[in-house]
Amino acid sequence: MLLLSQVSKRYGDALALAATDLQVPGGETLVLIGPSGCGKSTLLRLIAGLIQSDSGSITFEGAVLTPDNILQARQQMGYVIQEGGLFPHLTVRDNVTVMARYLRRDPDWIDARLTELSNLVQLQPELMQRFPAELSGGQRQRVSLMRALMLDPDLLLLDEPLGSLDPMIRYQLQQELKAIFARLGKTVVMVTHDIAEAVYFGQTLVLMRDGYIVQTGSFKDLAQAPAEAFVEQFISAQREPMAKLTEALK
Ligand code: ADP
């Protein structure tokens, strides 16, 4: 269970996140959605403890996160940033195992976990010795996911994990990711700007604008009972291209 209470963040005079409350029950996938710059990544970075909030508190697994316990808590969080964020000078194997080696986990355990994860994300074992630049975009995203899952975290934080992929690969990875979440029963907070992807993954959508949560609920809630005109506009702006395609086929 993850609980945010009145968490806010400013950069100088600019408000990145207004005082925000959010609750993510264990085992659920919650999707943050909204236009670019609305504060989605800021919210995720605050949860991961990569930046400090100006106010409020974040409670994770019953404990309020503080500068003193955040490193410990981070071991229970897997974080995938936009574009994957792999270390370019490390092989796939070293990228995935870097934290486990730092924590001096048993080498046999590390090897077994690496095999388990490469099976899970369907990445061929022979790619383990390659460097990120020698992989396709889809393969790099799989490696990022392996790295995030290495220590078997309770919480996965995914910032546009499929954002840079072409539509076919994206579709395939969406299906695989959803199956992985269901199988592992993880709590997931995912950022996307694509409403179809949000609906595909999330039980709960959190629609944001200008640092504020505009509405939280299922897609049906947002579509049938929009909290304000912006919700309708956001949904129809994304529906429009599909409607044009359907029209062109008539
Ligand atoms: P999103 O992920 O929804 O695109 P962000 O959370 O990245 O939005 O950004 C929210 C706002 O905070 C934006 O206006 C952005 O320009 C600003 N912002 C984010 N990070 C920084 C930073 N390190 N310094 C200054 N402003 C930032």
Side-chain angles (χ1 to χ4, degrees), residues 235-250:
I235 293 174
S236 34
Q238 299 216 11
R239 271 185 178 165
E240 197 70 9
M242 192 45 80
K244 283 192 180 127
L245 279 181
T246 311
E247 186 64 27
L249 286 173
K250 280 185 182 160

Side-chain angles (χ1 to χ4, degrees), residues 7 51 67 88 104 110 121-122 172 185 239:
V7 173
I51 51 175
R104 300 189 185 286
I110 292 178
V121 305
Q122 302 188 12
Q172 187 190 342
R239 271 185 178 165

Side-chain angles (χ1 to χ4, degrees), residues 11 16 35-42 45:
Y11 288 105
S36 184
C38 69
K40 305 182 293 296
S41 301
T42 299
R45 285 190 207 114

Side-chain angles (χ1 to χ4, degrees), residues 28-231:
E28 277 210 11
T29 298
L30 180 131
V31 183
L32 305 175
I33 186 160
S36 184
C38 69
K40 305 182 293 296
S41 301
T42 299
L43 189 45
L44 219 57
R45 285 190 207 114
L46 285 163
I47 298 170
L50 299 179
I51 51 175
Q52 285 258 311
S53 64
D54 299 331
S55 72
S57 64
I58 301 176
T59 308
F60 175 56
E61 308 287 14
V64 175
L65 297 181
T66 67
D68 289 337
N69 67 14
I70 185 66
L71 286 180
Q72 190 69 28
R74 277 291 301 279
Q75 292 177 29
Q76 288 308 312
M77 300 180 192
Y79 185 38
V80 175
I81 62 169
Q82 292 175 28
E83 314 291 334
L86 297 175
F87 299 115
H89 59 291
L90 296 184
T91 61
V92 166
R93 186 197 156 81
D94 288 349
N95 260 289
V96 173
T97 60
V98 63
M99 202 52 198
R101 285 181 288 119
Y102 173 75
L103 294 170
R104 300 189 185 286
R105 293 290 173 94
D106 175 50
D108 289 340
W109 179 86
I110 292 178
D111 280 346
R113 184 81 182 135
L114 199 64
T115 305
E116 191 182 332
L117 289 173
S118 64
N119 286 334
L120 183 73
V121 305
Q122 302 188 12
L123 195 79
Q124 303 90 306
E126 57 269 26
L127 299 182
M128 294 300 134
Q129 295 312 321
R130 290 213 192 154
F131 290 92
E134 298 168 339
L135 301 175
S136 72
Q139 289 168 336
R140 276 197 289 273
Q141 292 302 83
R142 289 168 202 264
V143 176
S144 306
L145 194 67
M146 283 174 72
R147 186 171 66 179
L149 289 169
M150 183 72 196
L151 296 176
D152 197 19
D154 297 325
L155 175 67
L156 277 175
L157 303 171
L158 310 174
D159 195 347
E160 299 259 10
L162 309 175
S164 59
L165 301 176
D166 69 62
M168 287 295 289
I169 305 280
R170 185 174 178 141
Y171 178 66
Q172 187 190 342
L173 263 181
Q174 276 173 348
Q175 291 177 310
E176 289 173 16
L177 263 187
K178 193 171 178 182
I180 289 171
F181 296 165
R183 178 133 46 107
L184 301 181
K186 301 285 181 200
T187 308
V188 181
V189 183
M190 176 191 259
V191 166
T192 180
H193 59 263
D194 175 358
I195 195 133
E197 188 164 278
V199 173
Y200 184 70
F201 280 108
Q203 286 120 328
T204 306
L205 311 193
V206 176
L207 178 59
M208 298 177 66
R209 181 182 55 171
D210 297 338
Y212 289 85
I213 292 179
V214 178
Q215 191 166 1
T216 301
S218 66
F219 177 65
K220 210 167 167 187
D221 295 335
L222 271 60
Q224 294 182 349
E228 47 181 273
F230 168 74
V231 180

